[in-house]
Amino acid sequence: MRSLSLSRRGFLGLGAGVALAATLSGCLGTENAASRSAGSSVVIGLSSGVATLDPMNTTSVGSDLSVLSSVYSSLVTRRPDLTIGPDAATSWERVTSERWRFRLDEEATFADGTPLDADVVVWNVERLLDPDNGLRMTSNFPSLLRAEKIDAHTVDLVTDGPDADLLGALSFLYLLSPGYVEGRNPATAAMGSGPYEITSYSAGGNVELRARDDYWGEKPDIGHVTFRITPSDSAGVAGLLSGELDAVTGLDPQDLERLRTDRKLNVQQQDTSRMAFIKLNTLEGPMKDVRVRRAVNHAVDKKSITTSLLGDTVDPSPGQLMTSDYTGYSDDTTAYAYDPQKAKELLAEAGYGPGNPLQLELTVPSGQYVAGELIVQAVAQQLSEVGVRARINSIPFTVYMQKYLTDQDMSDMQYITQAWPTLAAGGLYGLFLSDSPYAYWKDAEFTDAVTRARSEEDEVERDRLYATAAERARDQAPVLFLFPQPGIAASSRDLTWQARPDDWVRPADMSWKGNA
Amino acid sequence: MLRFVLRRLGLTLVAVWGALSAVFLVLHSSGNPAVMMAPVGASEEQIAALSRALGYDRPLAEQYVTFFGDALRGQFPDSHVFQQPALTVVADRLPATITLAVTALVLACVAAGAVGLWSGAGMLRGRGSGAARQWPMGLVFLAQSVPGFFIGVLLVWIFGVRLQWLPTSGASGAGALILPAITLACGVAPALARVFRSSLTGELARPYTRTGLALGMRRGRVLRHAAYGSMLPTVTVLGLEAGALLGGAVIVENVFSWPGVGQLVITALENEDYPLVLADLTFLITAFVVVNLVVDLLYGVLDPRVRHSNGGH
């Protein structure tokens, strides 16, 4: 009896399997770029999932904020050419050195029809600045004190002293609807005043957007957007090659050749606003000596590294801590020339030589940065040619951050890339001020120049101070200067889209050729 | 029977507790997530305040007791990254993983059954060693020797990029299920096929087969009896392989960007999202142990001798 029932179950199972296979085979075939072009939809690959829908509680430009910038609007926006342009505010002026006045677009409304007016801005600034909310965006607004309503469509932002970086920071401040947030969790429910609304979202999963019919600003060309999460590099590349994905940013230089040979794709490469360098611990050990810091800078041939490991996508930095995208960047500095002989002389002056070789530890977080471990090996190899023995220590990023920030126990050298999301020199240089846990460098001259520049109203004087700081940093070498992190993006050939150096991926900037 | 079930249940709880404790200790000794969560440029005070708010400044023993106290009541703290209850995030991903795992298991059973029965039928006809009967086992050995992530990438390359028949990643539509399910099944099917085939061959060599055939029983019916006789070792392996299925799901979900709990746990680990890692692993560990429990119990049903020997202690 038992054997019969089991076999019957077996047959049922077999039948179910056959039925399943038949169902699946009915769904064969994938959508391609041509059919999406006709329907004005686009599929964008993101390397990490959208963690939260609360735009004030994230600083991830490449994922969370890129998606949310389509759903919410900000007072001002950073355009693809990196200049600041209008969004919900049509115009703005500096009333006094500590007060900015913004005139809001009177047409601006949220998707549910409520107006985006001065009260909304005041509420949002209060939410941002309330320390009890513990929002991650708050630290980008160190000087902001409050917002004051002037009339229904005019609002003043008051700062504690002049803040030249306020506009850049405001391009990150996305405005929520006070009425909608009431009784909802903004991390999981979003209703904004931007060109798109969310039609599908699950934590860390794909996100789908639809263009709003009643959008008050300029209507985007793309009607439907799917952000597909492809965490592995290979998934992004395979999706591009198979035509499932229309645009992907942050690709690995090692995939460059494969993507370039595909004629359906348009590959774009540029410097990102993220600078790679090897931080030197100037507080203890051999790197206290500026001659040793200069020696390692002379000992490394950065050009050969970018050529061999990064496919010639970037050029070595001219002795700068930040890229030219930042406000306050000065292009007066020159790079340390590749000069092994000079490096050996400097090391000899500092007391190191064949009898007493300099021994260092060089830390790199495993799998965190584009080609990080390869770059570190190349650097160690070149250092060994001038008699410096660098021991590579590859550790998980979490342990690395713990040692770097909490324990204040950084090794002699560590590979790192740094960027400041608002592209303000004052922000990025803040990571090198004497009292910053990020710095491992106490330099009064640099700290003084940056501190003064941050509150300087006159742009010419401000830039002069930042130039002084840049020159000082180049001279004192708190880092082994390397190069900007390469930004490689690929998109369907028929898609008009300019990839950006600052990680933003905005479907409103895209359009299909011949569709517009 | 009741004592047997209770004993197994008790052991299961101990296993879950042990595994979770190990995960908890390893996780919490690898750093403070507040450092990762704080925005770039945060001061030491800000990091310390965040650490306090999340409870990571307390002694490890205290955190451990709190965690298990909450977990016993089915509560996990909010995910750091997703800012919502960790269990909700895991539950959102569950259907995707279950769909993938069940499909793969069905595929593996069908494949293993087909390979075993094909060999068995050949043996009954007295054609055991011909090439025609051997090639399915060749395929099985191939699938067993090649690691799952490689099969996955290979399938993506052939069917996704070259032929463009199937999606390369994601979970959009049933078509997207095919490649990950096949990849996952490739990790489970070989062991299953080998055990089923060898025990079926053993059964067919036993006297009752000859008797049945001599009495004029149809070959199909003999095969059915023999297949039932070889269920016990096969189900054992199936239980063990169900564990491999969960482990394989972590890899396959990442290769195919399949939005399940396996992909989630990797993301959570990368982000130092401890509550999410623990909630996710609680599910994976529990699933693994429960599957083994079910197999143990099934054992008792399939073979009463097991029930009596174990229950008698």
Side-chain angles (χ1 to χ4, degrees):
Chain A
M1 227 19 237
R2 231 175 217 172
S3 97
L4 195 67
S5 71
L6 189 89
S7 77
R8 196 175 280 154
R9 225 175 294 151
F11 278 119
L12 281 177
L14 198 69
V18 170
L20 188 70
T23 323
L24 293 184
S25 63
C27 309
L28 287 182
T30 52
E31 214 189 11
N32 59 20
S35 68
R36 280 196 296 274
S37 162
S40 91
S41 63
V42 71
V43 182
I44 299 168
L46 292 182
S47 61
S48 62
V50 174
T52 173
L53 296 182
D54 185 346
M56 287 192 205
N57 212 3
T58 173
T59 48
S60 315
V61 174
S63 55
D64 303 357
L65 288 173
S66 277
V67 172
L68 294 172
S69 71
S70 296
V71 180
Y72 289 103
S73 34
S74 47
L75 287 174
V76 296
T77 187
R78 196 178 286 279
R79 293 184 284 215
D81 64 1
L82 301 186
T83 59
I84 296 287
D87 195 2
T90 49
S91 64
W92 51 92
E93 59 177 332
R94 206 167 191 168
V95 188
T96 69
S97 64
E98 293 161 3
R99 180 178 285 269
W100 287 79
R101 178 157 297 168
F102 293 84
R103 183 86 203 143
L104 301 175
D105 192 326
E106 294 185 15
E107 305 283 303
T109 53
F110 286 93
D112 66 357
T114 52
L116 196 172
D117 54 20
D119 290 324
V120 169
V121 178
V122 172
W123 182 89
N124 273 279
V125 170
E126 277 171 7
R127 176 174 194 259
L128 173 78
L129 297 181
D130 185 349
D132 290 343
N133 290 337
L135 297 165
R136 295 195 201 180
M137 193 53 86
T138 310
S139 60
N140 279 335
F141 295 85
S143 70
L144 187 58
L145 290 180
R146 63 183 177 276
E148 288 175 6
K149 177 183 178 178
I150 303 301
D151 63 44
H153 299 286
T154 311
V155 65
D156 278 7
L157 294 191
V158 183
T159 58
D160 160 25
D163 183 355
D165 300 329
L166 182 67
L167 281 180
L170 284 175
S171 71
F172 278 78
L173 182 64
Y174 288 97
L175 303 167
L176 286 79
S177 160
Y180 180 81
V181 169
E182 188 78 46
R184 290 190 178 87
N185 179 4
T188 53
M191 195 282 299
S193 52
Y196 292 91
E197 56 192 344
I198 294 180
T199 52
S200 160
Y201 165 74
S202 65
N206 293 354
V207 186
E208 288 181 26
L209 307 179
R210 183 180 56 213
R212 274 172 64 190
D213 294 328
D214 57 345
Y215 181 54
W216 47 274
E218 194 186 331
K219 277 207 168 181
D221 283 331
I222 304 291
H224 291 267
V225 184
T226 304
F227 287 98
R228 190 188 290 180
I229 312 306
T230 53
S232 68
D233 283 337
S234 62
V237 172
L240 281 166
L241 293 176
S242 70
E244 284 165 70
L245 300 177
D246 298 313
V248 180
T249 60
L251 293 158
D252 195 294
Q254 295 185 328
D255 295 318
L256 205 54
E257 276 318 301
R258 202 141 56 105
L259 293 166
R260 275 192 186 134
T261 50
D262 191 320
R263 282 186 297 159
K264 295 192 304 297
L265 294 178
N266 174 29
V267 180
Q268 304 180 47
Q269 65 179 68
Q270 59 193 326
D271 296 358
T272 61
S273 54
R274 181 168 280 278
M275 186 64 96
F277 39 76
I278 289 173
K279 268 193 91 69
L280 309 175
N281 187 345
T282 72
L283 301 183
E284 54 184 35
M287 289 301 169
K288 277 167 89 169
D289 190 334
V290 68
R291 290 170 300 190
V292 179
R293 304 204 295 266
R294 288 179 185 146
V296 292
N297 266 291
H298 280 300
V300 174
D301 182 3
K302 292 101 181 176
K303 185 69 197 160
S304 79
I305 296 179
T306 59
T307 307
S308 57
L309 296 179
L310 300 177
D312 242 340
T313 46
V314 286
D315 285 323
S317 150
Q320 291 270 0
L321 300 171
M322 61 189 183
T323 67
S324 57
D325 301 321
Y326 287 75
T327 50
Y329 177 82
S330 107
D331 50 10
D332 293 339
T333 59
T334 49
Y336 282 89
Y338 173 54
D339 189 345
Q341 195 51 45
K342 180 125 189 228
K344 280 184 195 164
E345 285 166 22
L346 282 165
L347 285 168
E349 272 180 47
Y352 300 102
N356 175 29
L358 173 58
Q359 303 199 7
L360 299 167
E361 183 169 307
L362 170 51
T363 307
V364 59
S366 49
Q368 179 69 20
Y369 299 125
V370 176
E373 281 144 307
L374 295 174
I375 291 167
V376 161
Q377 282 177 33
V379 168
Q381 165 64 26
Q382 297 189 356
L383 288 178
S384 75
E385 282 165 23
V386 297
V388 176
R389 287 188 203 152
R391 193 172 66 83
I392 295 174
N393 187 14
S394 177
I395 55 178
F397 190 53
T398 52
V399 181
Y400 169 95
M401 288 301 279
Q402 176 91 21
K403 279 179 65 145
Y404 175 37
L405 289 181
T406 314
D407 303 345
Q408 287 290 302
D409 183 26
M410 187 180 110
S411 57
D412 303 316
M413 312 171 90
Q414 78 172 15
Y415 183 79
I416 196 165
T417 75
Q418 284 180 334
W420 191 259
T422 58
L423 300 186
L428 190 95
Y429 280 159
L431 302 175
F432 291 89
L433 298 183
S434 299
D435 61 355
S436 166
Y438 289 79
Y440 288 84
W441 184 43
K442 294 196 189 305
D443 190 82
E445 199 176 306
F446 178 87
T447 302
D448 177 59
V450 173
T451 312
R452 279 167 51 207
R454 278 173 160 185
S455 56
E456 178 59 56
E457 285 176 63
D458 180 45
E459 258 180 53
V460 178
E461 177 59 12
R462 187 195 68 187
D463 287 354
R464 195 193 63 76
L465 285 165
Y466 279 137
T468 310
E471 188 48 52
R472 180 69 182 169
R474 190 267 175 205
D475 179 67
Q476 290 297 305
V479 304
L480 197 174
F481 296 100
L482 292 175
F483 27 72
Q485 186 151 298
I488 299 170
S491 51
S492 174
R493 197 194 44 203
D494 296 327
L495 190 72
T496 308
W497 170 56
Q498 174 64 51
R500 302 169 54 125
D502 57 353
D503 290 351
W504 289 98
V505 187
R506 291 181 176 155
D509 297 338
M510 301 176 177
S511 64
W512 287 104
K513 284 173 190 159
N515 248 21
Chain B
M1 184 65 191
L2 188 68
R3 272 178 74 186
F4 172 69
V5 172
L6 284 178
R7 196 178 116 91
R8 289 285 158 184
L9 217 58
L11 284 175
T12 301
L13 285 176
V14 170
V16 171
W17 168 77
L20 268 181
S21 297
V23 170
F24 183 92
L25 291 176
V26 169
L27 209 56
H28 283 251
S29 60
S30 73
N32 181 349
V35 186
M36 302 280 294
M37 287 177 62
V40 67
S43 64
E44 281 166 85
E45 295 78 49
Q46 281 172 308
I47 296 175
L50 191 58
S51 185
R52 246 193 326 278
L54 298 169
Y56 290 115
D57 60 331
R58 295 177 302 153
L60 192 60
E62 198 186 320
Q63 294 185 44
Y64 178 84
V65 171
T66 315
F67 167 71
F68 272 97
D70 287 350
L72 274 179
R73 280 176 279 132
Q75 284 174 355
F76 290 87
D78 279 8
S79 151
H80 298 336
V81 171
F82 295 111
Q83 297 154 26
Q84 49 180 304
L87 222 48
T88 314
V89 180
V90 175
D92 278 352
R93 301 292 193 99
L94 263 185
T97 297
I98 292 175
T99 311
L100 178 62
V102 168
T103 313
L105 200 62
V106 169
L107 281 180
C109 288
V110 169
V115 169
L117 291 176
W118 175 257
S119 296
M123 198 174 150
L124 274 182
R125 288 167 191 270
R127 300 186 214 141
S129 52
R133 295 282 159 182
Q134 288 299 326
W135 68 263
M137 277 315 284
L139 268 185
V140 164
F141 281 116
L142 193 68
Q144 188 164 32
S145 326
V146 182
F149 59 86
F150 184 77
I151 295 181
V153 171
L154 198 70
L155 290 177
V156 165
W157 184 249
I158 296 172
F159 295 101
V161 175
R162 288 279 132 188
L163 299 172
Q164 302 196 1
W165 288 355
L166 295 166
T168 53
S169 68
S172 46
L177 180 61
I178 299 176
L179 294 184
I182 292 177
T183 311
L184 193 52
C186 279
V188 182
L192 215 52
R194 285 176 54 200
V195 169
F196 181 55
R197 177 179 175 270
S198 65
S199 54
L200 186 65
T201 317
E203 285 295 314
L204 288 174
R206 289 173 66 176
Y208 75 79
T209 307
R210 217 177 327 138
T211 314
L213 288 175
L215 288 174
M217 212 186 255
R218 279 181 292 114
R219 286 200 196 91
R221 189 142 178 226
V222 173
L223 198 59
R224 214 155 66 200
H225 283 292
Y228 179 62
S230 45
M231 273 299 122
L232 202 59
T234 314
V235 168
T236 313
V237 171
L238 188 66
L240 294 173
E241 290 300 303
L245 199 69
L246 291 171
V250 176
I251 293 166
V252 170
E253 285 183 6
N254 276 286
V255 169
F256 289 96
S257 306
W258 185 264
V261 291
Q263 191 197 42
L264 188 67
V265 74
I266 298 290
T267 320
L269 275 169
E270 281 172 354
N271 295 325
E272 289 260 285
D273 194 342
Y274 291 175
L276 190 55
V277 173
L278 286 167
D280 198 312
L281 285 177
T282 303
F283 163 74
L284 283 175
I285 292 166
T286 312
F288 181 82
V289 187
V290 166
V291 166
N292 277 296
L293 176 72
V294 169
V295 169
D296 274 353
L297 297 181
L298 207 61
Y299 231 69
V301 175
L302 285 175
D303 186 351
R305 283 170 298 178
V306 177
R307 187 163 64 218
H308 296 313
S309 67
N310 269 322
H313 281 289

